[in-house]
Amino acid sequence: MAIYEPLEGAGARRRYRLRSPVTLEPIGELDCMDASDVARALERARKAQPAWAALSFDARAEVLRRCLRLVLERQDRILETVIRETGKTETEAFAMEVFATCDSLCYYAKNAKRFLAPRSERIHGVMGFTKKLRLVYKPLGVVGIIVPWNGPFVLAMNQTAQALMAGNAVLLKGSEVTPYSTALAGEFFRDAGLPDGLLELLMGDGQTGAALVEAGVDKISFTGSVATGRKVAEACGRRLLPVTLELGGKDAMIVCADADLERAAAGALLGSCMNTGQYCCGTERIYVVDEVYERFVDLVVSGAQTLRQTDRGESDIGAIFWDRQLAIIESHVNDAVAKGARVRIGGRRNPKLRGLYYEPTVVTEVTHEMDLMRHETFGPVVAIMRVSDEEEAIRLANDSRYGLNGNVWTRDTEKGFRIAERMQTGGVCINDMALTYGVPEAPFGGVKESGVGQVNGALGLRGYCHLHPMLVDRFGGKKIQGGYPYTAKDLEGMKKFAKFWWGTPLGRWLS
């Protein structure tokens, strides 16, 4: 049964019925906004943005702090909404959607002023004697933010907080399968006192998102699939529009012979199955050196056997958020088995539960000829491959069109750094699962088909700004340096100065 189905004869607007992946029961209907709705939202945002940009960082930060208090006060409502729409376990819903949101709001309220403070930059060489340079971070204007269904509240709150603290207005578009979770962001910022027009919520489907990209905003920040990301990039390219793309991943895990195997096995399970494996930097490929392979597999299988999956009470593994994703997971596992892989545990829908539940699964004897090791699975599947040594592990880890994150497990930290440096990814964790997105100080983004640009921290916040250089002459005077009229004497002087300045050891030292 589809959790997202169009309603026929619903009038001029596209309308969809939504169902919960937990129970498959209807949870509401979504009326999609069209291009005219987006245009009106953009007009309101344009009118509201200048006054917001004129406020101090402290005034903007106070809105984030009030929003933070609301998140803490209304956390039960957040959990109820997110779990109903996504099927996350309660623990993961709290950790990802509430805890991480609180951390983000607090971090940017506290640090944005420092990150975006105007600064003077020393000018090198002879120009440094006569000119001064000042750099100012100016907001872009109105930013379009498109967030996916696997983190519908936290991703909306995190990116919106950054864009607002930079002085922008925001048009926010959530996924059509988790609209109510993303809509909470609009409610919370409004109730925190954010002036009207600064955060416009766009409810709708892919056509609504396309209208946003074409509407005339000043930047697009998109998180989602590679296929949709390409379309967004092409549209932004036509409009010469700045864009940040955080796309899919196929993160590799390398287990060295000297790894703490018990910790590594626990990391493999958590990295592969957290959020039911439906997060962009989930561990999807595990390469284990031959001498510890059997022991590692035994530990992973043993750990998987203890994982609980239920639709009520305490649970470790939640539902698959979308029936379309469940079909992909089944296809990848079935393809692997047909090509010689062995399912050690799981490998099927949970027959005991009504909703979209896929059992935590461990698959071994996998190869790179299998879809499970080539394409993004996005499910609670631990795929383990035997390799002869670390060199083979590195080669196979890099044999992917994706490059978002990865992890290395070894007792020798320096060796871990050396291996990490050779991995073609946006980031690497050593002796831990992928945590980079949850550490704001660490720029987050992918290489290859995993994205363009980086988000979070000072770099991400500055990405919502134009760095505006202002150059001023120190001394003034009647004649501008190098100005009219040009004379042979001046030209000869310039030649002599250049020869000294860059052609002698003393000159180069002075420069």
Side-chain angles (χ1 to χ4, degrees):
M1 180 181 294
I3 64 168
Y4 167 75
E5 53 187 355
L7 293 175
E8 301 297 336
R13 290 188 180 275
R14 300 180 305 282
R15 175 176 286 186
Y16 298 90
R17 176 180 290 115
L18 304 177
R19 298 179 185 273
S20 171
V22 178
T23 64
L24 301 183
E25 296 294 329
I27 57 175
E29 294 180 358
L30 172 67
D31 285 321
C32 296
M33 292 182 173
D34 59 22
S36 62
D37 296 313
V38 176
R40 286 190 291 272
L42 177 59
E43 183 180 3
R44 292 190 293 270
R46 286 261 181 245
K47 290 180 180 178
Q49 188 269 333
W52 175 252
L55 292 178
S56 68
F57 284 109
D58 291 337
R60 294 179 215 158
E62 184 55 36
V63 174
L64 262 65
R65 293 190 183 98
R66 290 197 294 266
C67 196
L68 169 58
R69 290 193 288 271
L70 290 175
V71 171
L72 290 172
E73 292 170 4
R74 303 177 186 178
Q75 59 182 272
D76 289 343
R77 180 148 174 262
I78 298 169
L79 295 178
E80 178 186 357
T81 305
V82 168
I83 292 171
R84 183 176 67 246
E85 282 194 313
T86 70
K88 292 175 188 269
T89 66
E90 186 173 9
T91 298
E92 289 173 346
F94 181 84
M96 294 183 67
E97 307 287 349
V98 176
F99 188 95
T101 294
C102 291
D103 186 53
S104 176
L105 291 169
C106 182
Y107 180 81
Y108 294 108
K110 182 177 181 181
N111 292 293
K113 183 177 181 179
R114 174 168 58 91
F115 291 156
L116 300 181
R119 68 178 192 268
S120 296
E121 193 79 11
R122 183 176 179 180
I123 302 174
H124 82 289
V126 67
M127 292 281 280
F129 295 113
T130 60
K131 311 292 183 186
K132 293 189 294 185
L133 176 62
R134 184 172 175 83
L135 299 175
V136 176
Y137 290 98
K138 296 175 64 175
L140 295 174
V142 180
V143 175
I145 297 176
I146 302 175
V147 297
W149 43 264
N150 59 329
F153 181 70
V154 64
L155 295 177
M157 294 293 287
N158 181 39
Q159 298 298 333
T160 298
Q162 294 178 51
L164 289 174
M165 281 306 300
N168 300 286
V170 173
L171 302 188
L172 176 63
K173 160 71 172 65
S175 168
E176 57 267 43
V177 295
T178 53
Y180 305 121
S181 297
T182 301
L184 290 175
E187 174 190 319
F188 282 27
F189 274 107
R190 182 192 66 238
D191 291 352
L194 185 71
D196 291 344
L198 287 172
L199 176 55
E200 292 285 334
L201 188 69
L202 305 180
M203 303 289 277
D205 55 9
Q207 292 185 48
T208 308
L212 168 58
V213 175
E214 299 285 356
V217 295
D218 300 297
K219 178 178 179 174
I220 291 290
S221 175
F222 172 82
T223 305
S225 70
V226 174
T228 304
R230 286 186 189 279
K231 296 177 182 178
V232 172
E234 291 167 1
C236 289
R238 291 196 310 273
R239 303 185 69 89
L240 299 181
L241 187 66
V243 61
T244 301
L245 303 173
E246 197 272 279
L247 308 179
K250 193 71 181 173
D251 286 8
M253 173 179 179
I254 295 176
V255 182
C256 302
D258 64 344
D260 179 336
L261 293 184
E262 291 189 357
R263 179 177 174 83
L269 284 170
L270 187 60
S272 301
C273 297
M274 188 184 78
N275 213 42
T276 53
Q278 295 173 116
Y279 66 111
C280 55
C281 47
T283 298
E284 296 216 359
R285 299 175 291 146
I286 302 175
Y287 303 100
V288 186
V289 297
D290 181 70
E291 58 192 282
V292 297
Y293 175 83
E294 294 296 346
R295 173 63 177 152
F296 178 81
V297 169
D298 288 344
L299 287 169
V300 172
V301 172
S302 177
Q305 290 171 339
T306 68
L307 296 178
R308 301 162 299 173
Q309 186 177 55
T310 179
D311 55 6
R312 58 178 59 85
E314 292 184 343
S315 181
D316 300 310
I317 308 296
I320 304 303
F321 300 180
W322 200 352
D323 51 294
R324 296 182 189 178
Q325 196 60 47
L326 180 56
I328 292 171
I329 297 166
E330 291 179 317
S331 172
H332 286 189
V333 173
N334 292 340
D335 173 78
V337 171
K339 293 175 180 175
R342 177 183 174 191
V343 175
R344 300 293 186 106
I345 187 173
R348 62 175 185 173
R349 300 191 189 200
N350 192 322
K352 300 178 182 178
L353 300 175
R354 180 184 179 188
L356 304 180
Y357 288 87
Y358 195 85
E359 293 179 337
T361 298
V362 179
V363 183
T364 60
E365 282 84 68
V366 294
T367 70
H368 272 219
E369 284 67 49
M370 301 171 182
D371 291 346
L372 190 62
M373 298 295 279
R374 305 297 298 181
H375 306 297
E376 193 173 33
T377 303
F378 233 53
V381 180
V382 188
I384 309 174
M385 182 172 179
R386 186 197 303 262
V387 295
S388 58
D389 54 27
E390 292 156 7
E391 286 298 317
E392 184 182 14
I394 295 170
R395 178 179 63 80
L396 290 170
N398 291 335
D399 180 24
S400 174
R401 61 193 180 99
Y402 297 100
L404 188 55
N405 226 271
N407 45 96
V408 181
W409 301 75
T410 172
R411 296 179 191 271
D412 184 344
T413 303
E414 287 304 315
K415 181 173 75 172
F417 282 129
R418 291 194 298 271
I419 293 174
E421 288 174 356
R422 296 174 61 190
M423 294 176 71
Q424 298 167 1
T425 65
V428 181
C429 295
I430 298 171
N431 294 328
D432 211 332
M433 56 167 287
L435 291 171
T436 314
Y437 191 89
V439 179
E441 292 84 353
F444 184 84
V447 298
K448 298 190 276 191
E449 293 190 14
S450 285
V452 175
Q454 293 172 301
V455 300
N456 293 344
L459 183 67
L461 193 64
R462 291 167 180 167
Y464 288 111
C465 300
H466 169 71
L467 184 56
H468 194 69
M470 293 179 284
L471 199 63
V472 61
D473 186 83
R474 290 180 183 271
F475 306 114
K478 292 184 178 180
K479 183 178 180 181
I480 297 176
Q481 182 181 3
Y484 303 127
Y486 298 147
T487 67
K489 182 180 177 180
D490 289 342
L491 177 58
E492 187 60 30
M494 289 175 62
K495 290 180 178 179
K496 289 180 179 179
F497 180 81
K499 186 174 182 180
F500 164 74
W501 199 248
W502 292 294
T504 67
L506 177 59
R508 288 192 294 270
W509 179 77
L510 289 172
S511 68

